[in-house]
Amino acid sequence: MPQEKIYTDLVTKVLNALESIRPFLNRDGGDIELVNVENNIVTVKLLGNCGQCSMSLSTMKFGVEHKIKEYAPEITEVISIA
């Protein structure tokens, strides 16, 4: 399988994972944006209330990262940028 197809499939899995958790983030006045997928590392940005929330670290580790790895087990790390 060509590398581009593998990358596209991985990005699609990550986007589907983000879509599955977006309603929960939106309910609290927040959102999430995919910034990059490279070398099995996902970079995201928490938006709105989620960006300043004191629980954002928990949201990232136990919500976002867990869900992304559920959809795309090949992902090794999820990083949030400001």
Side-chain angles (χ1 to χ4, degrees):
M1 187 178 295
Q3 282 298 103
E4 186 176 311
K5 171 81 169 118
I6 293 170
Y7 176 77
T8 302
D9 289 349
L10 183 58
V11 170
T12 299
K13 289 180 196 177
V14 171
L15 288 170
N16 287 338
L18 295 180
E19 283 303 313
S20 76
I21 59 172
R22 182 164 275 121
F24 301 102
L25 299 174
N26 291 164
R27 187 176 54 215
D28 291 329
D31 206 347
I32 193 164
E33 173 185 314
L34 177 62
V35 176
N36 194 23
V37 177
E38 188 174 344
N39 298 323
N40 291 340
I41 297 173
V42 174
T43 306
V44 296
K45 183 174 184 178
L46 292 172
L47 305 170
N49 289 341
C50 291
Q52 299 84 19
C53 177
S54 62
M55 296 300 292
S56 64
L57 184 58
S58 293
T59 299
M60 276 301 302
K61 274 302 196 200
F62 304 112
V64 176
E65 185 171 306
H66 177 78
K67 188 57 75 173
I68 287 174
K69 287 181 175 181
E70 181 181 307
Y71 277 69
E74 58 270 46
I75 294 301
T76 58
E77 187 177 7
V78 180
I79 300 168
S80 177
I81 61 170

